[in-house]
Protein backbone atom coordinates (compact mmCIF):
# COMPACT_ATOMS: atom_id res chain seq x y z
CA UNK A 1 0.00 0.00 0.00
CA UNK A 2 1.50 3.35 -1.02
CA UNK A 3 1.59 6.40 1.25
CA UNK A 4 -1.51 8.04 -0.25
CA UNK A 5 -3.54 4.87 0.14
CA UNK A 6 -2.30 4.40 3.69
CA UNK A 7 -3.28 7.97 4.63
CA UNK A 8 -6.70 7.48 3.01
CA UNK A 9 -7.19 4.25 4.94
CA UNK A 10 -6.29 5.89 8.25
CA UNK A 11 -8.66 8.76 7.48
CA UNK A 12 -11.53 6.39 6.75
CA UNK A 13 -10.86 4.48 9.95
CA UNK A 14 -10.97 7.71 11.95
CA UNK A 15 -14.17 8.86 10.25
CA UNK A 16 -15.77 5.52 11.10
CA UNK A 17 -14.80 5.97 14.76
CA UNK A 18 -16.26 9.48 14.83
CA UNK A 19 -19.53 8.27 13.34
CA UNK A 20 -19.82 5.69 16.13
CA UNK A 21 -19.21 8.26 18.88
CA UNK A 22 -21.67 8.41 21.81
CA UNK A 23 -19.55 10.61 24.12
CA UNK A 24 -22.28 13.18 24.87
CA UNK A 25 -25.36 10.98 24.29
CA UNK A 26 -26.89 11.79 27.68
CA UNK A 27 -26.94 15.51 26.82
CA UNK A 28 -28.56 15.24 23.38
CA UNK A 29 -32.27 15.49 22.57
CA UNK A 30 -32.03 12.52 20.17
CA UNK A 31 -29.71 9.51 19.86
CA UNK A 32 -26.26 10.54 18.61
CA UNK A 33 -25.93 10.89 14.86
CA UNK A 34 -22.56 12.43 14.06
CA UNK A 35 -22.75 14.23 10.73
CA UNK A 36 -19.54 15.12 8.92
CA UNK A 37 -17.87 14.74 5.55
CA UNK A 38 -14.17 14.49 4.71
CA UNK A 39 -11.55 12.58 2.82
CA UNK A 40 -7.77 12.65 2.86
CA UNK A 41 -7.99 14.50 -0.49
CA UNK A 42 -10.43 17.27 0.57
CA UNK A 43 -9.30 20.68 -0.72
CA UNK A 44 -11.70 23.03 1.07
CA UNK A 45 -12.61 22.82 4.74
CA UNK A 46 -15.92 24.19 5.97
CA UNK A 47 -15.83 24.66 9.73
CA UNK A 48 -19.28 25.54 11.01
CA UNK A 49 -21.35 25.20 14.18
CA UNK A 50 -23.35 21.95 14.47
CA UNK A 51 -25.99 20.13 12.42
CA UNK A 52 -29.53 21.45 12.61
CA UNK A 53 -32.65 19.32 13.02
CA UNK A 54 -33.13 18.89 9.25
CA UNK A 55 -29.55 17.73 8.89
CA UNK A 56 -30.04 15.34 11.81
CA UNK A 57 -33.14 13.88 10.21
CA UNK A 58 -31.52 13.38 6.80
CA UNK A 59 -27.97 12.58 7.91
CA UNK A 60 -26.67 15.19 5.47
CA UNK A 61 -24.87 18.38 6.50
CA UNK A 62 -26.31 21.69 5.30
CA UNK A 63 -29.36 19.91 3.90
CA UNK A 64 -31.55 22.93 4.56
CA UNK A 65 -32.13 26.54 3.40
CA UNK A 66 -28.89 27.68 5.04
CA UNK A 67 -27.07 25.09 2.95
CA UNK A 68 -28.77 26.40 -0.20
CA UNK A 69 -27.51 29.89 0.62
CA UNK A 70 -24.01 28.63 1.42
CA UNK A 71 -23.82 26.82 -1.92
CA UNK A 72 -24.88 30.03 -3.66
CA UNK A 73 -22.08 31.88 -1.88
CA UNK A 74 -19.64 29.20 -3.01
CA UNK A 75 -20.99 29.05 -6.55
CA UNK A 76 -21.33 25.25 -6.52
CA UNK A 77 -24.13 22.74 -6.95
CA UNK A 78 -25.06 19.96 -4.53
CA UNK A 79 -23.11 17.29 -6.39
CA UNK A 80 -19.90 19.31 -6.13
CA UNK A 81 -20.60 20.28 -2.53
CA UNK A 82 -21.20 16.73 -1.31
CA UNK A 83 -18.07 15.35 -2.98
CA UNK A 84 -15.70 14.81 -0.06
CA UNK A 85 -12.67 15.17 -2.34
CA UNK A 86 -13.81 18.78 -2.80
CA UNK A 87 -15.22 19.78 0.57
CA UNK A 88 -14.62 18.58 4.11
CA UNK A 89 -17.59 19.50 6.31
CA UNK A 90 -16.46 19.48 9.93
CA UNK A 91 -18.70 21.40 12.33
CA UNK A 92 -17.57 22.16 15.87
CA UNK A 93 -20.11 19.62 17.12
CA UNK A 94 -21.06 16.64 14.99
CA UNK A 95 -24.51 15.98 16.48
CA UNK A 96 -27.64 18.15 16.65
CA UNK A 97 -27.40 19.73 20.13
CA UNK A 98 -31.08 20.64 20.42
CA UNK A 99 -33.07 23.83 20.02
CA UNK A 100 -33.00 26.81 22.37
CA UNK A 101 -35.17 29.88 22.73
CA UNK A 102 -33.47 31.81 19.93
CA UNK A 103 -32.07 29.09 17.69
CA UNK A 104 -30.13 25.87 18.13
CA UNK A 105 -28.05 25.33 21.23
CA UNK A 106 -24.27 25.64 21.16
CA UNK A 107 -22.25 22.67 19.93
CA UNK A 108 -21.55 20.16 22.68
CA UNK A 109 -18.19 21.03 24.32
CA UNK A 110 -17.01 17.39 24.35
CA UNK A 111 -16.80 17.10 20.59
CA UNK A 112 -14.03 19.41 19.40
CA UNK A 113 -11.39 18.45 22.04
CA UNK A 114 -11.99 14.77 21.30
CA UNK A 115 -12.04 14.69 17.53
CA UNK A 116 -11.14 17.96 15.86
CA UNK A 117 -7.35 17.92 15.76
CA UNK A 118 -7.06 14.22 14.84
CA UNK A 119 -9.37 14.85 11.88
CA UNK A 120 -7.55 17.98 10.77
CA UNK A 121 -4.25 16.11 10.95
CA UNK A 122 -5.52 13.84 8.16
CA UNK A 123 -6.49 16.72 5.84
CA UNK A 124 -3.16 17.64 4.32
CA UNK A 125 -4.61 18.85 1.00
CA UNK A 126 -6.74 21.67 2.44
CA UNK A 127 -6.03 24.95 0.63
CA UNK A 128 -8.93 27.07 1.95
CA UNK A 129 -10.69 26.99 5.31
CA UNK A 130 -14.08 28.67 5.62
CA UNK A 131 -14.77 29.49 9.26
CA UNK A 132 -18.50 29.98 9.75
CA UNK A 133 -19.97 31.63 12.83
CA UNK A 134 -18.77 32.43 16.33
CA UNK A 135 -18.05 28.92 17.63
CA UNK A 136 -15.86 27.88 14.71
CA UNK A 137 -14.12 31.24 14.71
CA UNK A 138 -13.39 31.01 18.43
CA UNK A 139 -11.60 27.69 17.82
CA UNK A 140 -9.83 28.41 14.53
CA UNK A 141 -9.06 32.08 15.23
CA UNK A 142 -8.62 32.05 19.02
CA UNK A 143 -6.44 35.14 19.37
CA UNK A 144 -8.37 37.52 17.14
CA UNK A 145 -10.51 38.91 19.98
CA UNK A 146 -13.10 40.18 17.53
CA UNK A 147 -16.79 39.74 16.82
CA UNK A 148 -18.04 37.77 13.81
CA UNK A 149 -18.76 41.04 12.01
CA UNK A 150 -15.27 42.42 12.69
CA UNK A 151 -13.63 39.21 11.52
CA UNK A 152 -15.66 39.13 8.32
CA UNK A 153 -14.97 42.81 7.68
CA UNK A 154 -11.25 42.02 7.88
CA UNK A 155 -11.58 38.98 5.62
CA UNK A 156 -8.56 39.99 3.53
CA UNK A 157 -6.14 39.58 6.48
CA UNK A 158 -6.03 35.76 6.24
CA UNK A 159 -7.03 35.50 2.60
CA UNK A 160 -6.59 33.36 0.50
CA UNK A 161 -6.01 30.55 3.04
CA UNK A 162 -8.71 31.29 5.63
CA UNK A 163 -11.99 33.15 5.28
CA UNK A 164 -14.29 34.00 8.22
CA UNK A 165 -17.96 33.96 7.21
CA UNK A 166 -21.28 34.78 8.86
CA UNK A 167 -23.62 31.84 9.25
CA UNK A 168 -25.86 31.47 6.16
CA UNK A 169 -28.93 30.89 8.33
CA UNK A 170 -32.08 32.88 7.65
CA UNK A 171 -31.61 34.31 11.14
CA UNK A 172 -28.80 36.37 9.61
CA UNK A 173 -30.99 38.02 6.96
CA UNK A 174 -30.91 41.25 8.96
CA UNK A 175 -27.11 41.10 9.18
CA UNK A 176 -26.83 40.61 5.41
CA UNK A 177 -29.11 43.59 4.79
CA UNK A 178 -27.01 45.77 7.11
CA UNK A 179 -23.79 44.58 5.47
CA UNK A 180 -24.42 44.50 1.71
CA UNK A 181 -20.66 44.72 1.09
CA UNK A 182 -20.36 41.07 2.06
CA UNK A 183 -22.31 39.72 -0.92
CA UNK A 184 -21.05 42.49 -3.19
CA UNK A 185 -17.35 42.24 -2.32
CA UNK A 186 -16.52 39.00 -0.52
CA UNK A 187 -18.78 36.46 -2.24
CA UNK A 188 -17.41 37.09 -5.78
CA UNK A 189 -13.84 36.69 -4.48
CA UNK A 190 -14.85 33.50 -2.69
CA UNK A 191 -16.50 32.07 -5.80
CA UNK A 192 -13.43 32.75 -7.90
CA UNK A 193 -11.17 31.11 -5.31
CA UNK A 194 -13.44 28.04 -5.12
CA UNK A 195 -13.51 27.77 -8.90
CA UNK A 196 -9.72 27.87 -9.04
CA UNK A 197 -9.24 25.25 -6.31
CA UNK A 198 -11.73 22.84 -7.82
CA UNK A 199 -10.15 23.09 -11.25
CA UNK A 200 -6.70 21.98 -10.09
Amino acid sequence: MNDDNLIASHCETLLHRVRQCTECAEHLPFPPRPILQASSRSRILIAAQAPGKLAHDSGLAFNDPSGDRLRRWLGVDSTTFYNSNNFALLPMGFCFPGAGKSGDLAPRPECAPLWRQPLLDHLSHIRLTLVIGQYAQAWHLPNSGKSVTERVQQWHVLWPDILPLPHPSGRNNRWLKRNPWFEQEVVPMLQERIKTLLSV
Side-chain angles (χ1 to χ4, degrees), residues 31-90:
R33 190 177 192 181
I35 298 171
L36 67 159
Q37 169 183 304
S39 88
S40 61
R41 300 188 63 81
S42 300
R43 283 170 277 181
I44 301 157
L45 169 63
I46 297 180
Q49 181 168 306
K53 181 59 165 57
L54 291 176
H56 172 86
D57 291 342
S58 68
L60 200 59
F62 283 107
N63 185 29
D64 54 22
S66 67
D68 294 337
R69 173 177 276 166
L70 177 59
R71 285 182 284 276
R72 288 196 299 272
W73 288 351
L74 302 176
V76 301
D77 59 19
S78 292
T79 300
T80 302
F81 184 78
Y82 289 115
N83 182 336
S84 62
N85 287 335
N86 296 329
F87 292 94
L89 309 177
L90 301 182

Side-chain angles (χ1 to χ4, degrees), residues 127-143:
R127 297 296 176 266
L128 172 63
T129 299
L130 304 178
V131 193
I132 300 178
Q134 61 174 320
Y135 298 105
Q137 290 175 12
W139 197 92
H140 283 267
L141 308 171
N143 299 316

